[in-house]
Amino acid sequence: MNELSAEYIKAAELDRRIKTSAQLAQQSLYDMCMGFKEMRDSRLYKELGYSDFGEYCEQETQINRQSVYKYIKVAENLPSEFVSSGRQIGIKKLYLLSSLSESERTELTENNDLENTSARELERQIKELKVKAANADVLSHRLEDMNNICDTISKQRDKADRRIRQLEAEIKELESRPIEVAVETDSKEVANLKDAMRRVDLDWSEKYSKLEEDSLKDRRELLQKAEQAEKDKQDKLSQLRAELDRTKAEYEKKLSGKADTAPVQDDKAIFKAYLSTAVDSVTRLVDFVNEHNDSDNYGLFTQKARQLADIINSKLEV
C-alpha cells in the first residue's frame, strides 16, 4: 500500500480546519446576532459610556448600525438551528429570509439550494412569494365578505318570514271572529294586513334574488380568477422547464464533443445557453464580492473581477 504523500496529508488537514472553522463561524454568527439584540434591548451599552446604541456599534465593533440592525432582525425572526445549520448562506440572505413566515421560509428552503442561490435571485423569489400571498389574502377576504353577505341575507329573510307568519296569524284571528262581530272595519283591516303581507313578501323576494344573484356572480368571478392564476403559473413553469431542458441538452451535447460538425443552424439558441451560463457565473461572482466587502481581500476581488471584464472586451475586439 502506497504511503500518503506529505502534500495529501497537508491538504486533508487544511480541509478539516476549513470545515471546522465554517461551522464555528455559523455558530458565532448567531451568537453575535443575539449579543447585539441583548445589548440593544437591555441598553447595557450605557454602562460602557455610550448614550447611543449605533455609536457603540460603530466605535466598539466597527460595524455600521444598519448592518447591526440586520443582525438583530435575524436573531429575532430566525431560529438558532436554522442560522447555525452549517450551511454557508451569508448574512445578506439570512436577512432576506428573516422577513418570511415559517411556512414561507420552509417552502423556499425546500425548493432552493440556498448556498448556491444568489442573494438577488433569492430576493426576487421572496417578492414573488409575497405577491402570491397578498393575492391569496385578497381572495380570502373577498370570499369572507361574500359569506358575511350571505349570512346577512339569511338573517333578513328569517326576519321577513317571522313578520309574514305574524301577519298570517293576525289575519286568521280576524277571520275567525263571529259574524256579528266582524263588522266592516274588520274587513278593511284584514284587507290591509293581506296587502301588507303581499308587499313584504314581494319586496323581500326581489331583494333576496338580487343579492343572491350578485353573490353568485362574485363567487364565480373569484373562482375563475383563482383558476386562471393557477393555470398561468403552471404554464409558465412548463415553459421554463422545457426551455431549461432544451438548453441543458444542447450545452451537454456541446461539452461532450458529440455535436454535429456541420454548421449549426440554431446558433442563437447555443449563444443564449452560453450567455445564460456566463451571466449566472458572473452574477454569483459579483454577489460574492459584494458580500465580502469587509474582507481584507476585497480589493483583490474587485481587481480580478474588473480584469475579467477587460479580458472579455479584448477577446471580442480580436
Side-chain angles (χ1 to χ4, degrees):
M1 182 176 180
N2 296 330
E3 295 184 359
L4 298 177
S5 67
E7 289 298 316
Y8 178 84
I9 295 174
K10 181 179 179 181
E13 174 61 20
L14 180 58
D15 176 65
R16 183 190 64 79
R17 282 166 43 204
I18 289 173
K19 291 178 179 178
T20 301
S21 298
Q23 293 176 350
L24 292 174
Q26 285 299 106
Q27 181 60 50
S28 298
L29 174 62
Y30 186 77
D31 290 342
M32 181 181 68
C33 293
M34 289 299 297
F36 276 129
K37 173 176 166 53
E38 183 178 358
M39 180 66 77
R40 182 201 64 181
D41 294 347
S42 63
R43 299 186 179 183
L44 287 175
Y45 55 87
K46 293 182 180 293
E47 300 296 326
L48 302 177
Y50 293 96
S51 60
D52 179 72
F53 176 64
E55 182 183 0
Y56 157 77
C57 296
E58 294 175 351
Q59 293 295 325
E60 295 296 332
T61 67
Q62 284 73 54
I63 301 177
N64 63 64
R65 66 185 67 197
Q66 184 178 7
S67 297
V68 169
Y69 279 106
K70 289 183 179 180
Y71 291 134
I72 292 175
K73 186 174 182 181
V74 168
E76 290 177 333
N77 297 309
L78 293 180
S80 60
E81 61 271 14
F82 185 85
V83 180
S84 306
S85 62
R87 292 174 296 191
Q88 304 302 304
I89 301 177
I91 187 61
K92 188 172 183 179
K93 286 186 277 189
L94 285 172
Y95 175 71
L96 291 172
L97 292 169
S98 68
S99 64
L100 300 176
S101 66
E102 183 178 356
S103 60
E104 291 172 336
R105 185 172 64 250
T106 299
E107 179 180 345
L108 273 184
T109 302
E110 291 177 348
N111 296 327
N112 291 275
D113 179 1
L114 294 179
E115 292 189 32
N116 296 318
T117 301
S118 68
R120 183 176 300 174
E121 172 62 17
L122 185 63
E123 184 176 12
R124 183 190 66 77
Q125 293 190 31
I126 289 175
K127 288 181 179 179
E128 290 181 354
L129 198 62
K130 292 292 185 183
V131 171
K132 178 181 175 182
N135 290 338
D137 286 342
V138 171
L139 291 175
S140 176
H141 289 152
R142 291 195 63 185
L143 286 173
E144 184 178 353
D145 290 341
M146 290 298 100
N147 289 332
N148 291 335
I149 291 173
C150 290
D151 289 341
T152 301
I153 291 173
S154 179
K155 291 177 181 178
Q156 291 178 350
R157 184 172 188 176
D158 290 342
K159 183 178 179 180
D161 288 341
R162 288 194 298 271
R163 176 58 178 162
I164 290 172
R165 287 195 297 271
Q166 179 185 357
L167 292 172
E168 288 175 342
E170 292 178 6
I171 291 172
K172 186 176 181 181
E173 191 275 330
L174 289 172
E175 289 178 337
S176 64
R177 291 180 182 181
I179 296 177
E180 63 273 12
V181 179
V183 296
E184 183 180 359
T185 304
D186 291 338
S187 299
K188 290 182 178 179
E189 186 174 356
V190 170
N192 291 337
L193 287 173
K194 287 184 176 180
D195 184 61
M197 186 181 70
R198 284 194 297 270
R199 287 199 305 270
V200 169
D201 187 48
L202 178 61
D203 180 65
W204 168 249
S205 296
E206 293 177 350
K207 182 178 180 181
Y208 181 78
S209 298
K210 182 65 169 61
L211 289 173
E212 190 175 45
E213 181 182 349
D214 292 342
S215 177
L216 290 174
K217 181 179 178 182
D218 286 344
R219 283 171 178 265
R220 285 196 297 269
E221 289 180 353
L222 288 174
L223 290 175
Q224 288 174 356
K225 288 181 180 178
E227 292 173 356
Q228 185 62 43
E230 180 64 22
K231 181 179 181 301
D232 292 343
K233 184 185 77 172
Q234 294 301 328
D235 291 345
K236 185 62 176 179
L237 286 174
S238 298
Q239 293 175 7
L240 291 174
R241 290 193 186 101
E243 178 68 15
L244 177 61
D245 291 342
R246 186 180 66 79
T247 302
K248 285 175 63 178
E250 293 178 354
Y251 186 62
E252 290 172 357
K253 183 178 180 182
K254 184 68 176 179
L255 290 179
S256 63
K258 296 180 181 180
D260 296 336
T261 57
V264 180
Q265 298 299 320
D266 194 5
D267 56 350
K268 183 177 180 180
I270 295 178
F271 172 77
K272 185 177 180 180
Y274 280 129
L275 180 62
S276 176
T277 302
V279 169
D280 181 65
S281 298
V282 171
T283 299
R284 294 189 181 191
L285 175 63
V286 172
D287 287 341
F288 176 85
V289 173
N290 290 334
E291 290 176 0
H292 294 78
N293 57 6
D294 55 350
S295 170
D296 295 337
N297 295 318
Y298 179 68
L300 176 63
F301 293 163
T302 54
Q303 179 186 0
K304 293 299 183 181
R306 292 191 175 97
Q307 287 179 356
L308 174 62
D310 293 339
I311 291 173
I312 294 174
N313 289 331
S314 64
K315 294 291 185 182
L316 290 175
E317 291 173 0
V318 174

